Amino acid sequence: MNIELILLVLLFGIIGFSGSYYFNGYLYKTFKSNKMYDPIVSRSSHKEKATRSGGMALFFTFCVCYGFGKAVFAMSVDLYALIAFIFVALTGMADDFFSIKYREKFFLQLFAAIVLLQSDVYIDSFHGIFGIYEIPLWASYMISVFVFIVIVNAFNLIDGIDGLAALLSIKFFVLIAGIIAVTSSEMNLVIPSIVGAITGFLFFNFNPSNKVFLGDSGALLLGSVIAFFIFYILDNDNFIITDTLISRPLLVILLIIYPLADTLRASLIRMYKGQSPFLADRVHLHHRLIDKGMSHWAAATSILIMSVSIVFLGFLLSSYFTLTLCCILLFIYLLILYYIFFN
Amino acid sequence: MRFCLLFLFFSISLFCQKLDSSDFLILEGESPNYYYVLTNEGYYVSENSDSFTFKEYSDSIPKSLNVKLNTLLPVTHKAKNYLLYPGGGLLYLFENGSIKRVDRSFPHRNQYGAYLFSHKDNIYLIGGYGFWQTKSIITKFNFNSGDWEIVNALGQSPDGIDQGTFFVKNDNLYVFDFLTRISNNQKEKRNDNLYVLNLENFVWKKLGVTNPLIRSENQFKGAKRFFTFDNKLLFSYDDDPEFYLADFDNNTVKKIKDEVLFYKSGGPSIVKKSNLVSAVQNSLTGRITIKSFNISSLISEGEDDGLYLYRDTEEFYSYIYFAISFLVILIVVLMAYYKRIAQSYLLDENVISISDLSVEVNEKEQKILSLFSKKRRVPNYEIMDLFFEIGKTKDFAVKKKNKTIAGLNEKLLSSFKIEFINKRKAQSDSRQLAYFLNKKIRIIEDSVI
């Protein structure tokens, strides 16, 4: 590995961590002095006083890291993507402070997705799924917008227990870092900044005395950045190093398997009960682990380890079996995990 | 030593062609001529690799060609030599011993440091620097109108391509090792990625990050040279005695170190057939000599280091190992942190809580717990101070204290399943009593509110 790059990665990781640690502490004190606590309701998994300032701290940390990286090194993310991230983060902040209605939030996310598409990074191919490769531009746009909204909301929905959304985001970014590092030199310092920032946040998220939540701003921001990198992988214009190892759509699904599976399951259960699929309740898989007596830390770590194991199993199976067989085997593995841990 | 130097100088003077001015341009010659060297006075024609014939231009050089010849961008298109004015716009044709202007354009001054190349029926100019910005535009010369037209490109175009390394093969233009400066207040930055432009549909694609071993830190201080040789790209930097041969089909790059060739062949050069034709300045006389070197044997002798050109799989695997290690370390660190804070109880507004469990405490109990939030060992007299009441006996206070602590311990044990406070006698003096907080527990008092 390139020593210079390793040092830069470490530098940006440390800047991200320190910035996030500082901003989280500072914002916690500010929120606390203004008594801006997350309300404790019947669905809440916590009884401590906690602020929803984590997303704001992450946002400020990203801004500092990006500014430094852009000014000193060749760090660069497409301007439209940045605008979309900022827009999503601001939507989340507004939701944290004033509780935006779901329909309004949906339209704001739709707008952010359309802005993100201007970056010329979108899903323009099915990469052989159902025998389909290149898709028309209008279909690309529609599918990309749909995927963006699903991913952003999926990460928002799994933010129900301490550390889960943050740890799964770290997993996504850490695993994708290798792909980005050999594909695009402009973005390879973005990921250590994000991972450092989320790690700094985790020390507050698990702390009972200074508890900080991601809030909608954090969950939506992380979801939108993840959606951008997923578009990056699925964009046919990009050469992805894992193409010889695993199918791109399968890789993407495995990277965000827990948010996708949990959101899909929760929506199906609600619809089966005749409720709105967007209803907030406690039917999520992570709530099951908590109800079984696991601590938040244990539940979040267990889900993290399970989802990492699925990614590596996917890589392993892809090198021996066809895509269809690989999907079947992975589905069986998911069912086994479900019956062992969640049933 | 002096004799050797004189002999060397004499030999060079005898066997090489000499040019008095440093303002010259080497061009590929059409068959049967080997190559041309244009100067302001006339031009040299070589009919074999080492001898020149000087000829005067049949017409005078156009007045619009008011720049040094070595700043012109040459390109061979359909066996004719075209010369482009620096920055783009004016195009000249060197034909039948004269330089003629063939465009109806103007000096664009928009694409300095661009790359001029010929593909099929067209001449293209790509990238460059102008008006304080690096450009990634592609312009095409229209032979009918005599003007340049912008070619629209799609896909992942780089933000700007200044002083890049280019290679055309099979309808693809590969670009790497270039500088980018987007806005006015930014310093130019090196782009490490390899891009490819499909010359049929003009769609850009990013192929990946180039091997960091093929670039040197200070390469932009010196000029670089690149040539097509044997369907591969041969390139070298002025400050590095190594030649690189990049094979884009197999994603490999070969390093060839030849210091003799490097020092002899510095300066403007072209590659034709198997020869590197270069201009070398004599360090003793300052005069410039054109020399030709056969490089086919050098290329075949060069050892294949097995270097990748871009996107190395091995590098990706090492990142994956790094990623796994990072995740493991993160989980271990967070586990240690969580273990430390797992038994941290929060004392706040008559409630002691942890995670989703909370127990209400009265004022006296809160004061006792508050003492334990400050230190783990609390002497008996400090707790006693909380129970002394005017008009009541000490015995009454002792009984009340014992009852309160026992009640508190029982309440917390039943809720949190852990004993909080222990009473012990001091080892030095058995009359001195102290209360200790369980070692596994930490009480944090929310004092701000």
Side-chain angles (χ1 to χ4, degrees), chain B residues 308-322:
Chain B
Y308 67 92
L309 180 62
Y310 61 96
R311 284 191 297 120
D312 181 39
T313 316
E314 298 248 329
E315 196 174 0
F316 172 70
Y317 285 132
S318 55
Y319 278 114
I320 289 296
Y321 298 139
F322 177 76

Side-chain angles (χ1 to χ4, degrees), chain B residues 32-265:
Chain B
N33 298 326
Y34 208 163
Y35 49 84
Y36 295 110
V37 181
L38 307 189
T39 68
N40 287 313
E41 295 77 30
Y43 65 97
Y44 295 84
V45 188
S46 85
E47 286 166 2
N48 58 57
S49 59
D50 277 326
S51 66
F52 287 86
T53 309
F54 181 78
K55 291 181 179 175
E56 289 189 353
Y57 294 119
S58 52
D59 288 319
S60 57
I61 294 177
K63 282 184 181 174
S64 60
L65 189 49
N66 52 6
V67 291
K68 283 191 167 186
L69 288 171
N70 58 17
T71 61
L72 297 173
L73 285 180
V75 66
T76 305
H77 176 67
K78 293 187 174 175
K80 288 180 180 176
N81 282 306
Y82 290 88
L83 309 168
L84 182 72
Y85 195 81
L90 312 187
L91 190 70
Y92 301 91
L93 171 65
F94 175 69
E95 194 178 36
N96 301 326
S98 70
I99 300 174
K100 290 173 192 162
R101 187 172 163 184
V102 292
D103 70 287
R104 288 181 203 145
S105 187
F106 59 95
H108 292 172
R109 305 186 196 284
N110 194 36
Q111 288 182 274
Y112 292 98
Y115 178 59
L116 185 69
F117 67 99
S118 159
H119 180 68
K120 293 189 175 166
D121 294 333
N122 294 301
I123 292 175
Y124 296 96
L125 183 67
I126 180 167
Y129 181 93
F131 301 107
W132 304 279
Q133 280 194 331
T134 52
K135 307 287 164 77
S136 55
I137 55 168
I138 308 158
T139 46
K140 181 176 81 173
F141 186 70
N142 186 325
F143 284 93
N144 296 323
S145 68
D147 212 339
W148 292 84
E149 298 166 349
I150 286 192
V151 179
N152 290 320
L154 302 167
Q156 293 183 302
S157 155
D159 291 328
I161 311 166
D162 183 23
Q163 301 170 48
T165 305
F166 299 85
F167 177 60
V168 180
K169 189 181 180 187
N170 299 340
D171 296 332
N172 285 323
L173 172 73
Y174 296 89
V175 189
F176 66 103
D177 188 18
F178 55 90
L179 297 174
T180 297
R181 176 180 160 178
I182 307 160
S183 52
N184 298 349
N185 58 353
Q186 255 191 0
K187 197 182 163 189
E188 281 195 332
K189 286 170 185 164
R190 183 184 191 277
N191 192 312
D192 295 336
N193 298 294
L194 173 68
Y195 291 82
V196 62
L197 174 70
N198 187 313
L199 295 169
E200 288 296 302
N201 53 19
F202 287 92
V203 174
W204 282 101
K205 282 185 179 177
K206 186 194 267 185
L207 292 179
V209 180
T210 50
N211 192 333
L213 295 174
I214 60 172
R215 62 176 188 241
S216 60
E217 283 288 317
N218 54 355
Q219 62 190 270
F220 283 106
K221 286 182 183 169
K224 63 182 169 185
R225 303 178 295 176
F226 53 91
F227 321 97
T228 300
F229 179 80
D230 191 22
N231 271 328
K232 292 168 188 161
L233 179 74
L234 179 70
F235 59 102
S236 70
Y237 299 101
D238 267 12
D239 54 358
D240 184 0
E242 277 175 315
F243 290 82
Y244 300 89
L245 190 67
D247 183 348
F248 288 79
D249 291 338
N250 298 314
N251 187 19
T252 56
V253 64
K254 192 156 81 169
K255 263 186 181 181
I256 307 138
K257 193 164 188 173
D258 190 323
E259 294 201 10
V260 176
L261 179 63
F262 172 72
Y263 289 113
K264 279 184 178 175
S265 72

